[in-house]
Amino acid sequence: MVFVRTTPPRPVEVTAVFPELAPLARPAIRLHPRPGSPSVRDSSVGGPLLWPAGEPWPHCQSEHPDSGFRQSPADVRLTRRRLARLHRDPDGPEFTPEEEESKERNAARLAERFDAGPPWPAQCPVPLLPVAQLYLRDVPLLRPPGEADLLQVLWCPYDHEPDWKPATALFWRSAASVVDVLATPPEPYEVNCSGYVPEACLLAPEAIIEYPNSLDLNPELSQVVGDWSRWQAADVGVDSSYAEYPAEFYDGNLADAPGWKVGGWPPWGRTDPYRRYCAVCDAQMVPLLTIASFEWDGGELRGWAPYEDRAAAYAASHRAGQSPAQPTKVEVGSTDNMQLYVCPASPEHPHTDLIQ
């Protein structure tokens, strides 16, 4: 990796206050995606995949109603480059010649598609978009099957019922077995929204230890974490504003880390926790990958911003779409997280996912 990101120490040592939580510690790897130019030999988010030239590119076979968004992935990326250019140079031209050409090309493409009027043609099957590529050498927490040392995650950039989220696909493979690489993978005609087009990012994987969200604790431990007298007795300097709800300090500062990560504990919040079980062998599934809308937010989670990003994280404001906390430009749910789960007995069993 060509750069590093370092999570600051937690403001309180969890097990010093609650030794009962020590057995619940779990390893996780924060991926810290940041914009870059990954190659097929790099671990990445939104980068090119080491995909065999002789293997069919995966497509979604579901029906896809007209999204109304009417932008291709290439158009989304060009719009982002334009916004980034205007962010750097507010006095620059509204559109460059390349951007004007793209606008005209997009308008012509849409006119050709919709001249016939409704019902408008739907693209089916839809080529999947790369979401993440993770090499075992960079992310040793992966538990690939057999001789595999590479995980590739893709999704369909349309919302799918009943949960209205992108449909995901996982592929495990041996990198050494790929000799001829597919040079130009197909892309969807359009996407459901720009947040389903990941920006190409390199990774700076960092191993950390996590503890469960208070919602994941049993009733006894949940009561312990919510006991203000325990925090006072530990004398760890937690602000008295948390006296009524001390578990909020625990969840925001000490439990599961925000952002893209492998392993660790799930970031519950939209719903209470519920266990996921393998459809093949009924084993309880474990977190594989968290796909995050933001690496941190403007509140307590900003304290998780790496040392190297602190100045940007605490800057007063950012233009829309230029937040350093959203390097991948991915947005799932209502700026939520998508969690992928796999079977611990066999990663090749069907995975599952949910939005939190």
Side-chain angles (χ1 to χ4, degrees), residues 21 24 211-226 245-252 254-256 265-275 339 341 354-356:
L21 296 183
L24 301 179
Y211 294 89
N213 184 284
S214 63
L215 294 173
D216 246 331
L217 300 175
N218 63 38
E220 292 77 14
L221 287 177
S222 181
Q223 185 174 3
V224 166
V225 169
Y245 300 107
E248 289 186 3
F249 179 86
Y250 169 81
D251 284 334
L254 308 179
D256 52 285
W265 285 92
W268 299 111
R270 174 180 280 195
T271 69
D272 287 340
Y274 61 97
R275 309 302 170 216
Q339 303 166 35
Y341 287 79
L354 74 157
I355 298 287
Q356 279 295 318

Side-chain angles (χ1 to χ4, degrees), residues 83-104:
L83 291 175
R85 174 179 60 78
L86 291 174
H87 178 68
R88 295 189 303 269
D89 181 16
D91 298 323
E94 187 69 16
F95 293 94
T96 66
E98 179 193 15
E99 292 158 0
E100 290 284 3
E101 181 183 345
S102 175
K103 281 176 55 183
E104 293 174 3

Side-chain angles (χ1 to χ4, degrees), residues 21-32:
L21 296 183
L24 301 179
R26 272 188 192 175
I29 294 182
R30 300 187 74 186
L31 297 178
H32 298 306

Side-chain angles (χ1 to χ4, degrees), residues 290-314:
T290 299
I291 298 169
S293 294
F294 286 88
E295 292 293 284
W296 61 82
D297 65 13
E300 285 183 312
L301 295 184
R302 190 163 54 182
W304 288 92
Y307 280 125
E308 296 82 359
D309 295 317
R310 301 288 273 186
Y314 284 87

Side-chain angles (χ1 to χ4, degrees), residues 120-316:
W120 292 311
Q123 182 192 35
C124 187
V126 172
L128 302 191
L129 278 177
V131 175
Q133 173 167 273
L134 304 176
Y135 283 88
L136 183 62
R137 64 171 189 258
D138 302 320
V139 189
L141 276 187
L142 295 173
R143 290 179 286 183
E147 299 300 314
D149 60 355
L150 177 61
L151 170 65
Q152 295 169 325
V153 181
L154 301 92
W155 66 21
C156 173
Y158 283 82
D159 285 323
H160 285 244
E161 297 183 11
D163 299 319
W164 299 103
K165 63 181 185 295
T168 54
L170 306 185
F171 296 86
W172 300 93
R173 68 174 76 252
S174 166
S177 69
V178 182
V179 179
D180 296 320
V181 180
L182 181 64
T184 310
E187 285 203 323
Y189 182 85
E190 65 181 21
V191 296
N192 202 89
C193 70
S194 63
Y196 293 166
V197 182
E199 193 71 10
C201 289
L202 290 165
L203 307 181
E206 177 198 19
I208 63 168
I209 296 296
E210 288 191 339
Y211 294 89
N213 184 284
S214 63
L215 294 173
D216 246 331
L217 300 175
N218 63 38
E220 292 77 14
L221 287 177
S222 181
Q223 185 174 3
V224 166
V225 169
D227 183 355
W228 178 240
S229 65
R230 285 286 297 268
W231 293 91
Q232 288 180 302
D235 192 25
V236 289
V238 176
D239 191 280
S240 61
S241 63
Y242 290 98
E244 192 171 356
Y245 300 107
E248 289 186 3
F249 179 86
Y250 169 81
D251 284 334
N253 297 278
L254 308 179
D256 52 285
W260 289 65
K261 66 184 179 183
V262 168
W265 285 92
W268 299 111
R270 174 180 280 195
T271 69
D272 287 340
Y274 61 97
R275 309 302 170 216
R276 319 283 289 179
Y277 294 93
C278 178
V280 175
C281 66
D282 207 36
Q284 183 173 322
M285 304 182 86
V286 296
L288 171 67
L289 175 66
T290 299
I291 298 169
S293 294
F294 286 88
E295 292 293 284
W296 61 82
D297 65 13
E300 285 183 312
L301 295 184
R302 190 163 54 182
W304 288 92
Y307 280 125
E308 296 82 359
D309 295 317
R310 301 288 273 186
Y314 284 87

Side-chain angles (χ1 to χ4, degrees), residues 329-353:
K329 301 296 190 288
V330 165
E331 192 164 316
V332 290
S334 299
T335 64
D336 294 314
N337 304 287
M338 174 178 276
Q339 303 166 35
L340 305 187
Y341 287 79
V342 290
C343 174
S346 175
E348 292 179 301
H349 286 173
H351 74 289
T352 188
D353 56 51

